Amino acid sequence: MRDALNATRRPIVFSICEWGVQDPARWPAGAVGNSWRISNDIGPPASWDNLFRIINQVVPITQFAGPGAWNDLDLLEVGNSGLSTAEQQTHFAFWAAAKSPLLISTDLTNPTAATLDILKNTRIIALSQDSLGKSISFKRRYTNDHDVWAGPLADGSTVVVLINWQNSARSLVFNLADVGFASADAVDLIEGTSLGKLTTTYTANVAAHGSVVLKLSGATIVAPLSFTFYDAAASTNTIAGGATTRVVNSSVTVVGFIGNGGTLSFHNVDGGTSGGTKTLALDYINGDSTMTNTECSNCRNAFISVNGGAAVQVQMPISAQSWDILFSGYLVSLSGFKAGKANTVQISNPGAFAPDFYRMGVSI
């Protein structure tokens, strides 16, 4: 089909749809068509759960999007029932910044003012049409709180999309370091207002399931964190309760079946000279992809405790649609570390399976 279309010598957009079953971004589908569906349908009916499922599914494949080749997150549900106005705004902004085709599916003969306000926002549309063609990528998830996504634009600036996962309106604090900056000049792309220079953090009022979309320029770069890494399969760790090692390839061995009684405990972890709260970087494999909505659609939960303290839920998106591709550098901050190298970090899940873990990094 590709060759037949090219033979016409006419400008034709070739959109591929097999609902993401074969992980087409990795074929790569960009060598075949101009866009490819990555997931099952977004609706009907539209729902926030559908958006959550699709957003998790695009996490590991944003790097495959580029000029003339796009991840297709499915139709826009802006203007249709099932989503609040704030959810529709989040939906539209994320699709645009991820460079998904923006295909309107609502009845445009009688749109509401709110529908038109969202669909006609030229600042958000400009993200979709930016000539650099780079998708936003996943930067950090604060479980059950908010996501941070960001990507470059052709003029050298950076777009940041923050998603409020909470079910209520609240103040959301954005840490500029999550996108590698100490300070930057900012414009709110939803409202079209200049926010001036932001330093270290920015606090915004956001609706339930709402979003903040910022264009950052003139940024001051913050030094990246450095990590001491600990292999999950190391002999110094305790692998118990049904958890077991699995060889992925000649250089990667993971620990799987963590959860439902299985645990992985890292021992002799360095807490630095002062202990306290540390940032961890987790490298894992999660191929538990789904086409339907579940309690954790296209993600798995790990529960991580430090030195026997309360376990913290960490919600981790898929790394691919197979069990042989790593996601590297998932960040989470945990308290309870002691000074020195006598710390134990345990990963578990009391009611389901966590991802398979390759290694854990600790920034001291």
Side-chain angles (χ1 to χ4, degrees):
M1 178 62 76
R2 174 201 62 190
D3 294 343
L5 292 173
N6 288 341
T8 68
R9 299 187 181 278
R10 297 179 180 178
I12 299 172
V13 174
F14 183 22
S15 176
I16 302 168
C17 180
E18 47 83 83
W19 296 277
V21 173
Q22 297 176 335
D23 207 359
R26 298 183 187 275
W27 292 349
V32 180
N34 302 110
S35 68
W36 50 91
R37 282 281 301 279
I38 70 159
S39 69
N40 199 0
D41 295 345
I42 193 172
S47 72
W48 183 247
D49 287 343
N50 289 345
L51 297 188
F52 177 74
R53 168 174 52 82
I54 293 171
I55 288 171
N56 280 334
Q57 196 156 354
V58 80
V59 166
I61 57 173
T62 54
Q63 71 274 21
F64 295 104
W70 315 110
N71 290 307
D72 182 352
L73 281 58
D74 203 6
L75 299 171
L76 293 170
E77 292 284 3
V78 177
N80 297 334
S81 61
L83 297 174
S84 70
T85 298
E87 290 169 344
Q88 292 178 50
Q89 177 64 76
T90 298
H91 170 32
F92 185 63
F94 189 93
W95 262 230
K99 306 302 189 287
S100 175
L102 301 179
L103 303 174
I104 298 169
S105 69
T106 197
D107 181 2
L108 290 177
T109 63
N110 190 30
T112 66
T115 295
L116 291 179
D117 283 345
I118 294 171
L119 293 178
K120 294 174 68 176
N121 187 327
T122 56
R123 296 175 299 276
I124 300 299
I125 294 171
L127 300 176
S128 167
Q129 300 300 301
D130 184 74
S131 61
L132 186 63
K134 294 289 188 181
S135 171
I136 52 171
S137 61
F138 177 85
K139 299 301 181 183
R140 188 154 182 179
R141 173 163 294 173
Y142 294 84
T143 298
N144 299 323
D145 195 273
H146 71 279
D147 263 13
V148 181
W149 294 67
L153 298 173
D155 63 2
S157 62
T158 297
V159 60
V160 176
V161 179
L162 312 175
I163 302 174
N164 177 23
W165 292 123
Q166 292 193 8
N167 298 327
S168 59
R170 50 73 174 255
S171 294
L172 188 155
V173 178
F174 165 46
N175 294 301
L176 273 72
D178 285 341
V179 296
F181 299 156
S183 64
D185 297 321
V187 175
D188 183 325
L189 293 182
I190 294 177
E191 300 297 333
T193 56
S194 173
L195 303 175
K197 185 175 183 178
L198 308 183
T199 302
T200 308
T201 63
Y202 169 66
T203 301
N205 294 320
V206 61
H209 299 165
S211 56
V212 178
V213 185
L214 303 175
K215 183 176 182 179
L216 304 181
S217 59
T220 300
I221 306 299
V222 67
L225 295 174
S226 60
F227 294 91
T228 300
F229 284 97
Y230 304 85
D231 288 348
S235 60
T236 52
N237 296 338
T238 300
I239 301 169
T244 186
T245 58
R246 174 173 67 90
V247 176
V248 178
N249 55 47
S250 60
S251 60
V252 175
T253 297
V254 297
V255 176
F257 292 100
I258 300 169
N260 291 317
T263 60
L264 166 64
S265 297
F266 294 86
H267 301 297
N268 306 319
V269 176
D270 193 352
T273 58
S274 58
T277 298
K278 302 298 176 186
T279 299
L280 277 59
L282 303 171
D283 295 356
Y284 67 90
I285 294 177
N286 176 13
D288 192 7
S289 61
T290 180
M291 296 290 173
T292 58
N293 297 331
T294 64
E295 183 178 352
C296 196
S297 303
N298 289 315
C299 60
R300 281 189 173 188
N301 287 305
F303 290 81
I304 307 179
S305 64
V306 178
N307 294 321
V312 174
Q313 179 188 359
V314 182
Q315 191 180 74
M316 310 177 78
I318 59 171
S319 59
Q321 290 179 215
S322 61
W323 287 91
D324 58 352
I325 298 175
L326 281 169
F327 183 95
S328 298
Y330 182 103
L331 300 178
V332 59
S333 295
L334 297 175
S335 62
F337 282 88
K338 300 178 293 187
K341 299 181 180 180
N343 294 279
T344 294
V345 177
Q346 184 178 86
I347 304 176
S348 63
N349 185 322
F353 285 115
D356 293 356
F357 283 88
Y358 167 49
R359 64 180 185 172
M360 174 187 73
V362 180
S363 178
I364 58 174

